[in-house]
Amino acid sequence: MLKKFKQWFSNEEIDSLIRPFFSGNLAKRARLEREMIQLNDGSFLKASIASVSDISDILEIETLCYNGKTPWNKKALEQEMKTNNRAIYLIVRESNKAIGFISAWLVEKETHITNVAIIPNYQKQGIATFLISELQKISEHEGMQKMSLEVRISNDTAQRLYAELGFQKGKIKIDYYTGDKEDALEMSKFI
């Protein structure tokens, strides 16, 4: 799936055909339906569409979620946010502390989730569900028909969450993840 998105993204002919229908940057025109989420303990979190100024917070979230590593570095995130008009990042904060984000590409009637990360102390409180729900609403507004993602084959918790949200299991991608070469499971749902 990611290969298809990369090919599409680099296809200038298709880009010139679709530009008149989707003028401007997705992240600038998209709106959240809900900007606040209340946790079980009564505290409130604020969601927003992320921008380049949020990159250091996104990197911190990745570091806390991925054993000190960042799957996407600062330069890659900057490039993505500045040049990919089909990319969107949503971020959630408690006061000024960033605690989670989701990123996706909306291409050819499909929203492909590229990352979902919630720092460990805030996991299992409905934040990922909230972010996926908001992303789905944006996707529907943009005319997308499907959502997809890849998840580590060992990440049973995330697979259960995605299944609860209506994602179906697809094929397994062998040696998908850089570094440890772990396999990934494709999951998708129609919206």
Side-chain angles (χ1 to χ4, degrees):
M1 184 61 59
L2 188 56
K3 183 178 178 183
K4 177 176 117 179
F5 280 96
K6 285 180 180 176
Q7 288 171 341
W8 195 91
F9 182 65
S10 65
N11 188 330
E12 291 177 18
E13 181 179 325
I14 291 175
D15 193 44
S16 67
L17 293 173
I18 195 135
R19 186 171 283 130
F21 299 102
F22 293 101
S23 61
N25 185 303
L26 170 63
K28 290 182 181 173
R29 73 173 175 266
R31 298 288 175 261
L32 296 176
E33 186 172 292
R34 290 178 30 215
E35 293 182 352
M36 300 294 282
I37 176 175
Q38 185 174 15
L39 300 181
N40 293 336
D41 66 3
S43 63
F44 285 92
L45 307 177
K46 181 169 177 35
S48 62
I49 296 174
S51 66
V52 172
S53 64
D54 296 305
I55 289 175
S56 61
D57 290 328
I58 290 170
L59 291 169
E60 178 66 20
I61 293 166
E62 286 185 339
T63 300
L64 293 169
C65 292
Y66 303 122
N67 299 319
K69 297 183 174 142
T70 57
W72 290 50
N73 63 33
K74 181 179 180 180
K75 186 175 181 177
L77 289 169
E78 275 183 8
Q79 178 78 6
E80 176 87 345
M81 288 185 181
K82 288 180 178 179
T83 64
N84 185 350
N85 287 335
R86 297 173 199 93
I88 191 163
Y89 287 71
L90 309 180
I91 191 164
V92 176
R93 298 177 184 282
E94 182 175 46
S95 297
N96 291 326
K97 180 182 179 183
I99 59 162
F101 77 96
I102 188 169
S103 57
W105 293 356
L106 281 68
V107 178
E108 290 186 346
K109 301 289 182 189
E110 184 171 338
T111 297
H112 184 74
I113 298 171
T114 56
N115 201 342
V116 180
I118 311 299
I119 61 174
N121 291 345
Y122 288 85
Q123 291 177 0
K124 298 182 182 177
Q125 297 186 52
I127 300 165
T129 299
F130 169 79
L131 288 170
I132 293 168
S133 173
E134 287 299 312
L135 179 61
Q136 182 171 330
K137 290 169 190 165
I138 290 168
S139 299
E140 291 168 351
H141 185 263
E142 292 291 320
M144 301 297 110
Q145 298 173 354
K146 182 179 179 182
M147 294 180 78
S148 64
L149 54 85
E150 287 92 14
V151 58
R152 286 183 176 272
I153 203 75
S154 64
N155 193 341
D156 294 327
T157 303
Q159 288 179 41
R160 275 192 300 277
L161 171 64
Y162 301 141
E164 288 171 10
L165 295 174
F167 286 82
Q168 303 292 313
K169 291 181 179 182
K171 69 180 182 179
I172 294 176
K173 294 182 170 184
I174 306 299
D175 297 337
Y176 181 79
Y177 290 97
T178 306
D180 64 3
K181 301 291 186 189
E182 184 173 351
D183 298 344
L185 173 65
E186 278 187 354
M187 297 186 79
S188 63
K189 76 175 200 172
F190 289 98
I191 54 176

